[in-house]
Amino acid sequence: MQRVCFLLKVRADRLDEYRERHTAVWPEMLDALRATGWHNYSLFLREDGLLVGCLETEDFAAARAGREATEVNALWQAEMAPFFESLDGARPDEVMKPLTEVFHLS
């Protein structure tokens, strides 16, 4: 199982709404994530807008491609894009760049 961690930046003026949106993620989006190999997926949000995402998957590239192929993902990403800084026209899921793991205690 591959562990993946990534960073994004939520706009300071949208933090509360971003939190609220994630209390009720669309069931179809949750199903799509599960079906495409996203496991133990968590998002952590710091008060300055730093968002840390962590997940486990067999193959991150395959999990991303599977999720991107779903119709619900395009809708969800369009809804979420205004919440983020520095996307430069990309969708939030397109700018997820995995961090390099340098230590793990199991």
Side-chain angles (χ1 to χ4, degrees):
M1 190 67 74
Q2 178 184 11
R3 291 187 330 227
V4 177
C5 182
F6 61 87
L7 304 174
L8 291 169
K9 186 76 187 280
V10 176
R11 297 170 55 95
D13 61 335
R14 305 294 299 268
L15 294 175
D16 291 337
E17 186 179 359
Y18 185 83
R19 285 186 194 99
E20 180 63 28
R21 294 277 186 109
H22 283 82
T23 64
V25 174
W26 304 338
E28 300 86 359
M29 188 67 220
L30 297 174
D31 291 344
L33 288 167
R34 287 185 191 103
T36 57
W38 295 64
H39 307 290
N40 293 320
Y41 185 25
S42 296
L43 296 173
F44 300 89
L45 183 61
R46 200 166 67 181
E47 289 304 316
D48 67 356
L50 180 67
L51 181 74
V52 179
C54 301
L55 66 121
E56 294 177 339
T57 187
E58 291 295 327
D59 179 340
F60 188 53
R64 285 180 75 168
R67 186 210 54 225
E68 290 172 14
T70 66
E71 186 175 320
V72 70
N73 183 66
L75 298 171
W76 181 260
Q77 297 306 322
E79 286 276 323
M80 293 295 106
F83 289 90
F84 293 97
E85 293 182 6
S86 303
L87 293 181
D88 296 324
R91 295 186 327 243
D93 61 337
E94 293 173 324
V95 298
M96 290 177 173
K97 303 292 184 222
L99 299 174
T100 300
E101 183 176 72
V102 296
F103 177 78
H104 173 75
L105 175 67
S106 59

XYZ file of all heavy atoms in Angstrom:
859
model
N 0.851 -1.183 0.000
C 0.000 0.000 0.000
C 0.888 1.235 0.000
O 1.832 1.346 0.773
C -0.899 -0.026 1.243
C -1.983 1.006 1.261
S -3.291 0.859 0.039
C -4.234 -0.503 0.656
N 0.597 2.141 -0.864
C 1.338 3.395 -0.987
C 0.634 4.474 -0.159
O -0.574 4.630 -0.237
C 1.356 3.795 -2.470
C 2.043 5.082 -2.780
C 1.924 5.447 -4.268
O 1.168 4.855 -5.023
N 2.680 6.444 -4.674
N 1.405 5.205 0.644
C 0.853 6.344 1.384
C 1.218 7.612 0.642
O 2.352 7.778 0.203
C 1.409 6.366 2.801
C 0.874 5.210 3.619
C 1.283 5.343 5.029
N 2.570 6.043 5.082
C 3.585 5.660 5.786
N 3.498 4.623 6.529
N 4.710 6.338 5.805
N 0.249 8.517 0.536
C 0.441 9.746 -0.220
C 0.040 10.929 0.650
O -0.973 10.882 1.351
C -0.421 9.738 -1.507
C -0.278 11.044 -2.266
C -0.064 8.550 -2.386
N 0.833 11.990 0.593
C 0.527 13.240 1.287
C 0.739 14.375 0.295
O 1.694 14.362 -0.479
C 1.451 13.406 2.493
S 1.116 14.880 3.466
N -0.178 15.352 0.295
C -0.075 16.498 -0.605
C -0.542 17.759 0.107
O -1.217 17.684 1.146
C -0.892 16.274 -1.892
C -2.360 16.091 -1.639
C -3.207 17.182 -1.551
C -2.893 14.825 -1.487
C -4.557 17.025 -1.301
C -4.250 14.657 -1.237
C -5.079 15.759 -1.147
N -0.172 18.901 -0.441
C -0.540 20.199 0.119
C -1.310 21.022 -0.901
O -1.007 20.980 -2.094
C 0.710 20.995 0.514
C 1.682 20.335 1.472
C 2.918 21.216 1.626
C 1.028 20.074 2.808
N -2.273 21.781 -0.427
C -2.968 22.801 -1.215
C -3.179 23.998 -0.303
O -2.977 23.901 0.916
C -4.319 22.285 -1.726
C -4.289 21.196 -2.801
C -5.670 20.597 -3.001
C -3.768 21.759 -4.107
N -3.618 25.105 -0.846
C -3.843 26.308 -0.035
C -5.271 26.808 -0.256
O -5.636 27.201 -1.363
C -2.828 27.390 -0.411
C -2.882 28.623 0.462
C -2.245 28.369 1.815
C -2.400 29.495 2.789
N -1.546 30.595 2.699
N -6.060 26.783 0.827
C -7.429 27.272 0.793
C -7.403 28.780 1.036
O -6.649 29.276 1.883
C -8.296 26.564 1.867
C -9.704 27.136 1.907
C -8.330 25.059 1.606
N -8.212 29.506 0.291
C -8.294 30.960 0.428
C -8.763 31.315 1.852
O -9.702 30.720 2.371
C -9.264 31.532 -0.588
C -8.839 31.299 -2.022
C -9.960 31.666 -2.980
N -10.393 33.026 -2.750
C -9.951 34.086 -3.430
N -9.077 33.913 -4.396
N -10.391 35.288 -3.159
N -8.116 32.280 2.465
C -8.419 32.665 3.851
C -9.875 33.082 4.027
O -10.484 32.787 5.065
C -7.496 33.804 4.291
N -10.461 33.712 3.013
C -11.840 34.166 3.130
C -12.864 33.056 2.894
O -14.065 33.289 2.988
C -12.107 35.334 2.172
C -11.914 34.972 0.707
O -11.141 34.026 0.408
O -12.526 35.636 -0.145
N -12.396 31.818 2.622
C -13.313 30.706 2.338
C -13.142 29.538 3.303
O -13.730 28.481 3.105
C -13.088 30.193 0.908
C -13.180 31.201 -0.228
C -14.553 31.788 -0.458
N -15.597 30.859 -0.797
C -15.969 30.502 -2.027
N -15.340 30.998 -3.075
N -16.966 29.669 -2.217
N -12.342 29.707 4.368
C -12.043 28.598 5.277
C -13.293 27.998 5.905
O -13.461 26.770 5.927
C -11.081 29.045 6.378
C -9.672 29.418 5.942
C -8.877 29.958 7.122
C -8.980 28.247 5.288
N -14.159 28.838 6.438
C -15.353 28.319 7.110
C -16.249 27.551 6.149
O -16.746 26.467 6.471
C -16.135 29.450 7.783
C -15.404 30.045 8.968
O -14.532 29.362 9.545
O -15.699 31.201 9.322
N -16.448 28.109 4.974
C -17.303 27.432 3.992
C -16.660 26.131 3.507
O -17.345 25.135 3.280
C -17.609 28.349 2.822
C -18.620 27.743 1.859
C -18.959 28.652 0.680
O -18.433 29.781 0.603
O -19.736 28.205 -0.166
N -15.337 26.125 3.358
C -14.643 24.901 2.941
C -14.869 23.801 3.984
O -15.179 22.661 3.627
C -13.150 25.172 2.758
C -12.408 23.988 2.205
C -12.386 23.734 0.844
C -11.742 23.102 3.052
C -11.719 22.631 0.328
C -11.075 22.005 2.552
C -11.070 21.770 1.200
O -10.416 20.669 0.692
N -14.706 24.154 5.247
C -14.961 23.177 6.321
C -16.400 22.667 6.244
O -16.650 21.466 6.354
C -14.717 23.804 7.695
C -13.283 23.976 8.055
C -13.162 24.480 9.498
N -11.835 24.947 9.749
C -11.454 26.225 9.719
N -12.318 27.186 9.461
N -10.206 26.549 9.952
N -17.336 23.584 6.084
C -18.748 23.220 6.031
C -19.036 22.281 4.859
O -19.764 21.299 5.012
C -19.612 24.485 5.917
C -21.084 24.217 5.862
C -21.646 23.567 7.115
O -21.096 23.763 8.215
O -22.663 22.846 6.988
N -18.482 22.568 3.697
C -18.707 21.710 2.524
C -18.223 20.278 2.768
O -18.780 19.332 2.221
C -17.988 22.260 1.294
C -18.507 23.571 0.791
C -19.732 23.387 -0.101
N -20.136 24.636 -0.679
C -19.998 24.950 -1.954
N -19.496 24.088 -2.798
N -20.385 26.134 -2.385
N -17.196 20.140 3.577
C -16.654 18.805 3.815
C -17.349 18.058 4.951
O -17.003 16.914 5.224
C -15.135 18.873 3.999
C -14.448 19.030 2.688
N -14.324 20.263 2.073
C -13.916 18.124 1.834
C -13.720 20.096 0.911
N -13.464 18.813 0.740
N -18.333 18.669 5.563
C -19.162 17.921 6.517
C -20.233 17.135 5.777
O -20.870 16.262 6.363
C -19.833 18.852 7.550
O -20.741 19.735 6.871
C -18.800 19.635 8.338
N -20.422 17.448 4.501
C -21.453 16.776 3.705
C -20.959 16.561 2.277
O -21.565 17.054 1.324
C -22.732 17.597 3.718
N -19.858 15.837 2.130
C -19.357 15.512 0.792
C -20.419 14.661 0.098
O -21.012 13.772 0.704
C -18.007 14.761 0.874
C -17.552 14.300 -0.509
C -16.949 15.642 1.526
N -20.645 14.953 -1.161
C -21.668 14.229 -1.925
C -21.434 12.719 -1.846
O -20.312 12.246 -2.067
C -21.639 14.634 -3.381
C -21.782 16.091 -3.656
C -22.333 17.044 -2.834
C -21.366 16.773 -4.827
N -22.282 18.270 -3.449
C -21.706 18.134 -4.671
C -20.747 16.367 -6.011
C -21.436 19.083 -5.652
C -20.487 17.310 -6.982
C -20.837 18.654 -6.797
N -22.476 11.949 -1.567
C -22.323 10.485 -1.507
C -21.726 9.899 -2.799
O -20.926 8.969 -2.742
C -23.747 9.979 -1.279
C -24.450 11.127 -0.634
C -23.829 12.372 -1.222
N -22.087 10.468 -3.946
C -21.545 9.980 -5.221
C -20.041 10.217 -5.316
O -19.322 9.417 -5.916
C -22.242 10.672 -6.404
C -23.734 10.448 -6.465
C -24.535 11.445 -5.610
O -23.938 12.317 -4.938
O -25.768 11.344 -5.602
N -19.564 11.307 -4.721
C -18.125 11.580 -4.725
C -17.415 10.602 -3.798
O -16.349 10.073 -4.140
C -17.856 13.030 -4.301
C -16.408 13.454 -4.451
S -15.927 13.522 -6.195
C -14.297 12.851 -6.105
N -17.989 10.355 -2.639
C -17.403 9.382 -1.713
C -17.332 8.000 -2.360
O -16.314 7.303 -2.245
C -18.224 9.324 -0.421
C -18.271 10.614 0.403
C -19.232 10.455 1.568
C -16.888 11.013 0.873
N -18.409 7.608 -3.039
C -18.419 6.311 -3.732
C -17.348 6.254 -4.803
O -16.670 5.236 -4.959
C -19.795 6.047 -4.353
C -20.881 5.794 -3.323
O -20.560 5.514 -2.144
O -22.075 5.892 -3.700
N -17.188 7.340 -5.562
C -16.180 7.379 -6.623
C -14.775 7.250 -6.045
O -13.932 6.532 -6.600
C -16.312 8.665 -7.425
N -14.511 7.929 -4.943
C -13.191 7.819 -4.313
C -12.920 6.383 -3.872
O -11.860 5.824 -4.158
C -13.089 8.784 -3.127
C -12.995 10.263 -3.492
C -13.232 11.126 -2.256
C -11.659 10.590 -4.143
N -13.877 5.799 -3.174
C -13.696 4.409 -2.713
C -13.492 3.463 -3.891
O -12.620 2.599 -3.859
C -14.901 3.978 -1.888
C -14.969 4.606 -0.530
C -16.145 4.029 0.279
N -16.360 4.812 1.464
C -17.343 5.698 1.605
N -18.238 5.888 0.649
N -17.455 6.382 2.732
N -14.314 3.611 -4.923
C -14.272 2.700 -6.074
C -12.981 2.813 -6.864
O -12.587 1.856 -7.543
C -15.472 2.965 -6.984
N -12.308 3.951 -6.779
C -11.087 4.154 -7.569
C -9.806 4.021 -6.750
O -8.726 4.383 -7.218
C -11.129 5.517 -8.296
O -11.296 6.574 -7.350
C -12.270 5.546 -9.307
N -9.937 3.501 -5.505
C -8.747 3.141 -4.743
C -8.230 4.152 -3.746
O -7.084 4.072 -3.328
N -9.067 5.119 -3.335
C -8.669 6.098 -2.321
C -9.102 5.550 -0.960
O -10.295 5.427 -0.688
C -9.333 7.444 -2.587
C -8.902 8.086 -3.862
C -9.092 7.622 -5.127
C -8.189 9.309 -3.986
N -8.538 8.482 -6.033
C -7.986 9.527 -5.363
C -7.717 10.246 -3.069
C -7.313 10.636 -5.841
C -7.051 11.353 -3.557
C -6.851 11.543 -4.923
N -8.134 5.212 -0.105
C -8.429 4.623 1.209
C -7.809 5.476 2.316
O -6.779 6.108 2.111
C -7.868 3.205 1.297
C -8.308 2.326 0.175
N -9.601 1.864 0.034
C -7.627 1.846 -0.896
C -9.694 1.132 -1.054
N -8.503 1.103 -1.639
N -8.449 5.455 3.470
C -7.958 6.212 4.626
C -7.616 7.646 4.231
O -6.567 8.185 4.605
C -6.748 5.535 5.275
C -7.123 4.224 5.900
O -8.181 4.094 6.506
N -6.281 3.228 5.738
N -8.485 8.267 3.472
C -8.275 9.609 2.940
C -8.715 10.637 3.977
O -9.845 10.617 4.439
C -9.069 9.759 1.642
C -8.888 11.057 0.889
C -7.748 11.844 1.011
C -9.871 11.491 0.018
C -7.597 13.019 0.296
C -9.733 12.661 -0.710
C -8.595 13.415 -0.557
O -8.441 14.578 -1.267
N -7.809 11.524 4.340
C -8.087 12.583 5.305
C -7.589 13.913 4.783
O -6.589 13.973 4.058
C -7.365 12.313 6.638
O -7.828 11.149 7.246
N -8.283 14.975 5.167
C -7.849 16.336 4.891
C -7.703 17.064 6.219
O -8.591 16.965 7.074
C -8.873 17.076 4.013
C -9.081 16.531 2.611
C -10.237 17.247 1.935
C -7.815 16.648 1.782
N -6.617 17.783 6.388
C -6.352 18.568 7.582
C -6.177 20.016 7.150
O -5.448 20.286 6.195
C -5.081 18.090 8.297
C -5.147 16.648 8.727
C -4.738 15.635 7.871
C -5.615 16.320 9.983
C -4.796 14.310 8.261
C -5.676 14.991 10.385
C -5.263 13.983 9.522
N -6.819 20.942 7.856
C -6.791 22.349 7.462
C -6.260 23.207 8.603
O -6.804 23.187 9.706
C -8.205 22.812 7.074
C -8.353 24.234 6.562
C -7.533 24.464 5.293
C -9.826 24.535 6.303
N -5.197 23.943 8.321
C -4.617 24.860 9.294
C -5.326 26.202 9.181
O -5.903 26.529 8.143
C -3.114 25.003 8.991
C -2.296 25.524 10.152
C -0.821 25.323 9.923
N -0.333 26.165 8.820
C 0.931 26.163 8.398
N 1.822 25.374 8.944
N 1.289 26.961 7.410
N -5.281 27.010 10.224
C -5.984 28.288 10.260
C -5.533 29.280 9.188
O -6.288 30.164 8.812
C -5.866 28.936 11.646
C -6.678 28.232 12.708
C -8.161 28.117 12.367
O -8.764 29.109 11.901
O -8.723 27.031 12.546
N -4.324 29.128 8.673
C -3.862 30.025 7.608
C -4.232 29.513 6.216
O -3.863 30.106 5.210
C -2.359 30.265 7.701
C -1.541 29.018 7.418
O -2.108 27.918 7.222
O -0.303 29.135 7.382
N -4.969 28.408 6.143
C -5.429 27.874 4.875
C -4.618 26.723 4.317
O -4.988 26.140 3.294
N -3.511 26.365 4.961
C -2.740 25.227 4.479
C -3.576 23.964 4.630
O -4.055 23.647 5.718
C -1.430 25.077 5.257
C -0.559 23.899 4.809
C -0.031 24.119 3.396
C 0.579 23.681 5.780
N -3.765 23.257 3.534
C -4.530 22.016 3.524
C -3.569 20.860 3.289
O -2.785 20.883 2.332
C -5.583 22.045 2.406
C -6.474 20.818 2.310
C -7.496 20.816 3.445
C -7.176 20.770 0.962
N -3.616 19.870 4.161
C -2.782 18.685 4.050
C -3.695 17.496 3.786
O -4.616 17.233 4.565
C -1.966 18.446 5.339
C -1.123 17.180 5.219
C -1.099 19.653 5.661
N -3.465 16.825 2.679
C -4.238 15.631 2.344
C -3.379 14.403 2.497
O -2.201 14.403 2.120
N -3.956 13.342 3.056
C -3.250 12.081 3.242
C -4.177 10.946 2.817
O -5.373 10.978 3.117
C -2.872 11.871 4.705
S -1.831 13.148 5.397
N -3.623 9.970 2.144
C -4.411 8.811 1.738
C -3.509 7.615 1.546
O -2.280 7.754 1.498
C -5.169 9.099 0.432
C -4.303 9.301 -0.807
C -4.653 8.275 -1.875
C -4.495 10.703 -1.330
N -4.136 6.459 1.450
C -3.436 5.230 1.105
C -4.076 4.672 -0.154
O -5.299 4.772 -0.334
C -3.540 4.211 2.238
C -2.831 4.647 3.495
C -2.997 3.660 4.633
O -3.952 2.847 4.611
O -2.177 3.706 5.554
N -3.255 4.105 -1.014
C -3.746 3.533 -2.261
C -2.738 2.521 -2.785
O -1.556 2.588 -2.445
C -4.004 4.642 -3.305
O -4.630 4.075 -4.449
C -2.747 5.380 -3.685
N -3.200 1.611 -3.590
C -2.286 0.653 -4.219
C -1.406 1.341 -5.257
O -0.242 1.008 -5.411
C -3.072 -0.493 -4.870
C -3.760 -1.409 -3.890
C -2.809 -2.189 -3.007
O -1.697 -2.537 -3.461
O -3.165 -2.436 -1.849
N -1.978 2.303 -5.976
C -1.268 2.973 -7.067
C -1.874 4.366 -7.218
O -2.993 4.497 -7.715
C -1.433 2.148 -8.342
C -0.766 2.755 -9.562
O -0.490 3.973 -9.581
O -0.538 1.996 -10.518
N -1.154 5.408 -6.798
C -1.704 6.760 -6.811
C -2.040 7.225 -8.223
O -3.083 7.842 -8.452
C -0.753 7.737 -6.124
C -1.338 9.111 -5.927
C -2.555 9.297 -5.292
C -0.656 10.227 -6.378
C -3.095 10.561 -5.106
C -1.181 11.509 -6.199
C -2.404 11.669 -5.566
N -1.196 6.938 -9.175
C -1.483 7.353 -10.549
C -2.773 6.717 -11.048
O -3.612 7.381 -11.662
C -0.312 7.004 -11.473
N -2.960 5.443 -10.774
C -4.186 4.750 -11.190
C -5.398 5.280 -10.429
O -6.480 5.443 -11.003
C -4.042 3.247 -10.984
N -5.229 5.565 -9.140
C -6.335 6.092 -8.332
C -6.760 7.473 -8.839
O -7.953 7.772 -8.927
C -5.935 6.159 -6.855
N -5.790 8.304 -9.171
C -6.106 9.631 -9.726
C -6.801 9.508 -11.069
O -7.803 10.178 -11.335
C -4.829 10.455 -9.895
C -4.285 10.987 -8.605
C -3.044 11.791 -8.830
N -3.394 13.102 -9.393
C -2.550 14.105 -9.479
N -1.307 13.972 -9.067
N -2.936 15.254 -9.971
N -6.273 8.669 -11.937
C -6.862 8.499 -13.263
C -8.287 7.953 -13.160
O -9.182 8.419 -13.871
C -5.995 7.567 -14.116
N -8.499 7.011 -12.276
C -9.839 6.460 -12.086
C -10.817 7.509 -11.595
O -11.940 7.619 -12.100
N -10.390 8.290 -10.622
C -11.249 9.346 -10.088
C -11.529 10.398 -11.154
O -12.658 10.852 -11.310
C -10.591 9.985 -8.865
C -11.497 10.991 -8.154
C -10.736 12.095 -7.470
N -9.856 12.749 -8.413
C -8.595 13.058 -8.145
N -8.065 12.811 -6.991
N -7.848 13.648 -9.069
N -10.504 10.792 -11.898
C -10.668 11.807 -12.932
C -11.610 11.365 -14.043
O -12.201 12.200 -14.725
C -9.310 12.198 -13.505
C -8.475 12.993 -12.513
C -7.050 13.230 -12.971
O -6.751 13.023 -14.162
O -6.229 13.622 -12.124
N -11.765 10.064 -14.221
C -12.643 9.541 -15.270
C -14.117 9.544 -14.863
O -14.974 9.296 -15.697
C -12.209 8.128 -15.650
N -14.390 9.841 -13.602
C -15.779 9.830 -13.158
C -16.444 11.176 -13.441
O -15.805 12.225 -13.365
C -15.899 9.523 -11.651
O -15.322 10.590 -10.900
C -15.219 8.197 -11.302
N -17.707 11.130 -13.746
C -18.461 12.360 -14.015
C -18.572 13.221 -12.764
O -18.450 14.447 -12.822
C -19.852 12.004 -14.525
C -20.666 13.187 -14.960
C -21.982 12.770 -15.570
O -22.012 11.776 -16.309
O -22.985 13.450 -15.290
N -18.764 12.593 -11.614
C -18.941 13.350 -10.375
C -17.681 14.120 -10.002
O -17.757 15.203 -9.417
C -19.424 12.447 -9.219
C -18.325 11.493 -8.759
C -19.928 13.282 -8.050
N -16.505 13.599 -10.343
C -15.268 14.307 -10.009
C -15.199 15.660 -10.700
O -14.826 16.655 -10.089
C -14.039 13.479 -10.373
C -12.770 14.182 -9.952
O -12.496 14.378 -8.779
N -11.990 14.606 -10.932
N -15.557 15.717 -11.964
C -15.532 16.992 -12.684
C -16.463 18.000 -12.021
O -16.118 19.179 -11.865
C -15.924 16.782 -14.145
N -17.628 17.550 -11.595
C -18.582 18.438 -10.921
C -18.043 18.909 -9.576
O -18.137 20.092 -9.227
C -19.925 17.726 -10.739
C -20.641 17.321 -12.022
C -21.848 16.438 -11.693
C -21.055 18.538 -12.815
N -17.486 17.982 -8.799
C -16.947 18.322 -7.469
C -15.775 19.287 -7.601
O -15.679 20.267 -6.868
C -16.527 17.062 -6.718
C -15.990 17.347 -5.343
C -14.683 17.399 -4.971
C -16.749 17.650 -4.172
N -14.576 17.709 -3.634
C -15.831 17.858 -3.124
C -18.107 17.753 -3.900
C -16.224 18.172 -1.827
C -18.508 18.063 -2.604
C -17.571 18.267 -1.586
N -14.866 19.020 -8.535
C -13.702 19.891 -8.704
C -14.121 21.297 -9.125
O -13.541 22.289 -8.681
C -12.716 19.292 -9.707
C -12.127 17.962 -9.269
C -11.477 17.990 -7.902
O -10.832 18.955 -7.517
N -11.635 16.908 -7.150
N -15.127 21.395 -9.972
C -15.629 22.708 -10.381
C -16.217 23.455 -9.189
O -16.023 24.672 -9.055
C -16.682 22.551 -11.483
N -16.899 22.751 -8.307
C -17.457 23.360 -7.100
C -16.360 23.821 -6.140
O -16.490 24.840 -5.475
C -18.353 22.360 -6.361
C -19.673 22.106 -7.014
C -20.706 23.148 -6.644
O -20.724 23.608 -5.492
O -21.494 23.501 -7.541
N -15.278 23.062 -6.052
C -14.229 23.334 -5.072
C -13.173 24.316 -5.556
O -12.504 24.962 -4.754
C -13.541 22.023 -4.661
C -14.429 21.069 -3.881
S -14.918 21.747 -2.271
C -16.619 22.165 -2.581
N -12.980 24.462 -6.852
C -11.906 25.308 -7.385
C -11.881 26.720 -6.801
O -10.800 27.220 -6.466
C -11.978 25.360 -8.910
N -13.026 27.398 -6.612
C -12.969 28.764 -6.075
C -12.441 28.868 -4.640
O -12.123 29.955 -4.183
C -14.430 29.225 -6.136
C -15.089 28.353 -7.138
C -14.375 27.038 -7.041
N -12.313 27.760 -3.957
C -11.831 27.776 -2.579
C -10.305 27.855 -2.481
O -9.771 28.125 -1.415
C -12.301 26.525 -1.828
C -13.764 26.517 -1.533
C -14.669 25.975 -2.432
C -14.249 27.076 -0.364
C -16.022 25.963 -2.158
C -15.608 27.085 -0.080
C -16.495 26.531 -0.989
N -9.610 27.604 -3.580
C -8.157 27.453 -3.520
C -7.397 28.618 -4.124
O -7.838 29.246 -5.070
C -7.741 26.159 -4.233
C -8.202 24.935 -3.524
C -9.364 24.295 -3.914
C -7.498 24.437 -2.448
C -9.814 23.168 -3.250
C -7.933 23.319 -1.771
C -9.097 22.678 -2.175
N -6.207 28.857 -3.567
C -5.250 29.825 -4.103
C -4.345 29.136 -5.116
O -4.117 27.930 -5.029
C -4.354 30.365 -2.977
C -5.061 31.198 -1.960
C -4.109 31.747 -0.899
O -2.876 31.564 -1.011
O -4.619 32.349 0.052
N -3.811 29.905 -6.026
C -2.712 29.492 -6.912
C -2.997 28.264 -7.758
O -2.133 27.402 -7.906
C -1.442 29.249 -6.090
O -1.119 30.400 -5.362
N -4.183 28.178 -8.340
C -4.462 27.054 -9.219
C -4.043 27.337 -10.659
O -3.871 26.416 -11.442
C -5.953 26.706 -9.185
C -6.482 26.159 -7.869
C -7.971 25.839 -8.001
C -5.715 24.945 -7.410
N -3.904 28.599 -11.010
C -3.481 28.998 -12.359
C -4.289 28.300 -13.452
O -3.735 27.782 -14.425
C -1.988 28.744 -12.558
C -1.140 29.593 -11.623
O -1.527 30.750 -11.352
O -0.108 29.091 -11.142
N -5.602 28.248 -13.257
C -6.489 27.664 -14.249
C -6.649 26.165 -14.171
O -7.440 25.590 -14.899
N -5.898 25.509 -13.304
C -6.004 24.057 -13.146
C -7.080 23.727 -12.115
O -7.471 24.572 -11.311
C -4.667 23.474 -12.699
N -7.543 22.490 -12.140
C -8.469 22.026 -11.106
C -7.659 21.680 -9.861
O -6.479 21.346 -9.958
C -9.212 20.781 -11.578
C -10.123 20.992 -12.756
C -10.929 19.739 -13.072
N -10.218 18.508 -12.796
C -9.894 17.595 -13.732
N -10.211 17.791 -14.994
N -9.258 16.505 -13.393
N -8.292 21.727 -8.675
C -7.553 21.379 -7.451
C -6.919 19.995 -7.513
O -5.779 19.810 -7.082
C -8.623 21.431 -6.360
C -9.672 22.342 -6.889
C -9.660 22.173 -8.380
N -7.632 19.022 -8.077
C -7.071 17.672 -8.135
C -5.892 17.558 -9.099
O -5.093 16.635 -9.006
C -8.157 16.645 -8.469
C -8.812 16.872 -9.819
O -8.795 18.000 -10.329
O -9.364 15.898 -10.355
N -5.758 18.503 -10.022
C -4.638 18.477 -10.955
C -3.353 19.017 -10.344
O -2.267 18.740 -10.853
C -4.974 19.297 -12.206
C -6.082 18.692 -13.041
C -6.514 19.598 -14.182
O -6.532 20.834 -14.010
O -6.848 19.056 -15.242
N -3.450 19.804 -9.285
C -2.247 20.375 -8.681
C -1.778 19.604 -7.444
O -0.819 20.005 -6.800
C -2.416 21.881 -8.353
C -2.670 22.671 -9.625
C -3.513 22.112 -7.350
N -2.430 18.492 -7.135
C -1.988 17.641 -6.022
C -0.653 17.006 -6.396
O -0.587 16.159 -7.282
C -2.972 16.493 -5.784
C -4.272 16.852 -5.236
S -5.249 15.319 -5.136
C -6.653 15.909 -4.273
N 0.400 17.436 -5.764
C 1.725 16.874 -6.011
C 2.177 16.150 -4.745
O 2.366 16.778 -3.700
C 2.736 17.967 -6.360
C 2.343 18.810 -7.557
C 2.384 18.016 -8.828
C 2.082 18.916 -9.998
N 1.221 18.373 -10.975
N 2.340 14.836 -4.812
C 2.725 14.096 -3.608
C 4.061 14.580 -3.038
O 4.995 14.872 -3.777
C 2.848 12.655 -4.088
C 2.022 12.591 -5.328
C 2.135 13.958 -5.955
N 4.104 14.681 -1.731
C 5.346 14.989 -1.032
C 6.185 13.724 -0.938
O 5.653 12.610 -0.928
C 5.044 15.509 0.377
C 4.215 16.790 0.456
C 3.878 17.107 1.907
C 4.941 17.944 -0.192
N 7.476 13.878 -0.826
C 8.373 12.737 -0.662
C 8.418 12.335 0.808
O 8.726 13.158 1.669
C 9.790 13.106 -1.143
O 9.711 13.475 -2.519
C 10.742 11.935 -0.981
N 8.114 11.106 1.081
C 8.189 10.612 2.451
C 9.653 10.399 2.822
O 10.406 9.776 2.071
C 7.435 9.287 2.588
C 7.411 8.769 4.010
C 6.590 7.509 4.140
O 7.055 6.453 3.663
O 5.496 7.577 4.703
N 10.061 10.977 3.956
C 11.452 10.829 4.392
C 11.583 9.991 5.652
O 12.693 9.605 6.011
C 12.136 12.211 4.580
C 12.213 12.950 3.255
C 11.422 13.038 5.622
N 10.464 9.695 6.310
C 10.504 8.873 7.514
C 9.136 8.291 7.754
O 8.125 8.958 7.518
C 10.938 9.703 8.726
C 10.915 8.923 10.009
C 11.940 8.034 10.318
C 9.867 9.039 10.902
C 11.924 7.299 11.494
C 9.848 8.307 12.082
C 10.880 7.437 12.383
N 9.098 7.052 8.238
C 7.845 6.410 8.614
C 8.124 5.430 9.747
O 9.024 4.596 9.659
C 7.233 5.641 7.427
C 6.055 4.839 7.802
N 4.824 5.397 8.057
C 5.904 3.524 7.972
C 3.974 4.460 8.367
N 4.608 3.308 8.323
N 7.357 5.551 10.804
C 7.441 4.609 11.927
C 6.186 3.761 11.888
O 5.077 4.279 11.982
C 7.510 5.381 13.258
C 7.475 4.523 14.521
C 8.736 3.680 14.619
C 7.310 5.401 15.735
N 6.358 2.475 11.717
C 5.184 1.586 11.686
C 5.093 0.766 12.940
O 5.952 0.769 13.766
C 5.239 0.676 10.469
O 6.386 -0.112 10.466
